[in-house]
Amino acid sequence: CIPTRNEEYFIRYALYSIQRINLYPKYEVIVVDTLSVDKTRDVAKMFGAKIIEDDHVGYVGLARHLCTLEARGEVIVQIDADTLLTPFVLYRAVINLMNQRLGVYHVSHYYYDANVLYNLAAHYYDKYFRKPYRTTGHFIAYTKELYNYVQFDTNARVGEDDFKFGEDIYKKFGLGIFRFDRDRIVLVSARNYKRRGLLREFEYLLRRI
């Protein structure tokens, strides 16, 4: 599941990583696009993704919710449009969740377009500070059964949807159903963090400890 709005540049690399870098063969790709005026939908169609059109600008929680309802698989994976999958991350998600009725699996991250300081910040946040229920839109895998009990907040806006989903699951079920795999990664863009700057990025991460 990939929510988009004017992501023609990044979405092509995300979809390429699913088709050519990811080694797990059984998947479907659903793009929930919100009023893009560029070629996002054309690029997604070129890669064979299913397109859902949504006109609620800014409500990423709604986009993730619509995609989950549409998905046919027993394991749902949410990524951002600027996420690049690594070869075995979908395999690990399925292995960790296939025997669980209720479960969440997520992984660490590095930036493919940032310098070593940003990546050190990402490394230390994931390894030492990030709680298991602090899910991020980079990569969240969960069972379809879990979604019957806890869903994305359809009113959640950009930057709120991913953390709130994990927090709501934690409040209902506790830590036992979370698997935060610090040894697995996805690659993401640092575009939003570069706009804030490194010091504000540290502040942003620390607020979420």
Side-chain angles (χ1 to χ4, degrees):
C1 289
I2 312 174
T4 59
R5 185 165 191 248
N6 297 328
E7 294 283 7
E8 66 173 326
Y9 175 78
F10 286 101
I11 192 68
R12 68 181 71 246
Y13 298 108
L15 295 172
Y16 180 89
S17 76
I18 295 170
Q19 285 193 358
R20 301 297 179 86
I21 298 174
N22 154 58
L23 295 176
Y24 188 76
K26 297 176 64 177
Y27 62 84
E28 63 175 344
V29 179
I30 303 174
V31 170
V32 183
D33 185 69
T34 305
L35 301 178
S36 288
V37 296
D38 63 1
K39 296 180 180 179
T40 297
R41 289 190 294 275
D42 293 336
V43 173
K45 289 176 183 176
M46 181 177 68
F47 280 90
K50 181 174 184 178
I51 312 296
I52 299 174
E53 296 189 18
D54 174 39
D55 60 1
H56 297 82
V57 175
Y59 292 93
V60 181
L62 176 59
R64 296 195 191 279
H65 174 69
L66 292 173
C67 191
T68 303
L69 297 182
E70 186 68 21
R72 293 174 295 172
E74 293 302 314
V75 172
I76 313 298
V77 176
Q78 297 277 351
I79 66 171
D80 291 331
D82 58 3
T83 296
L84 303 182
L85 296 187
T86 48
F88 295 102
V89 69
L90 289 187
Y91 264 114
R92 296 299 302 171
V94 172
I95 288 170
N96 276 271
L97 295 176
M98 66 181 180
N99 293 321
Q100 292 183 246
R101 188 171 66 89
L102 304 175
V104 181
Y105 175 83
H106 58 125
V107 299
S108 300
H109 71 294
Y110 285 116
Y111 302 119
Y112 57 79
D113 56 358
N115 62 34
V116 66
L117 291 178
Y118 282 90
N119 279 302
L120 281 173
H123 173 77
Y124 280 101
Y125 172 63
D126 285 336
K127 187 170 183 178
Y128 297 109
F129 297 108
R130 185 169 156 198
K131 299 292 190 290
Y133 58 85
R134 290 296 192 188
T135 52
T136 76
H138 308 322
F139 186 96
I140 312 171
Y142 50 94
T143 60
K144 195 72 173 284
E145 179 70 15
L146 172 67
Y147 208 71
N148 293 327
Y149 298 92
V150 180
Q151 301 182 346
F152 279 96
D153 183 348
T154 57
N155 293 314
R157 301 184 69 87
V158 176
E160 302 172 353
D161 56 297
D162 47 5
F163 282 108
K164 191 172 189 310
F165 183 57
E167 288 173 351
D168 289 345
I169 294 169
Y170 171 65
K171 289 174 184 176
K172 188 169 184 66
F173 294 109
L175 284 178
I177 66 171
F178 287 89
R179 173 74 168 95
F180 176 32
D181 192 344
R182 290 178 170 86
D183 296 325
R184 300 288 171 175
I185 65 163
V186 292
L187 303 176
V188 301
S189 173
R191 53 180 170 162
N192 294 325
Y193 303 136
K194 286 180 178 179
R195 283 198 291 266
R196 279 196 290 262
L198 189 58
L199 291 178
R200 291 187 63 189
E201 167 64 356
F202 276 120
E203 293 174 358
Y204 173 80
L205 293 176
L206 290 172
R207 285 200 304 271
R208 283 154 174 77
I209 294 175

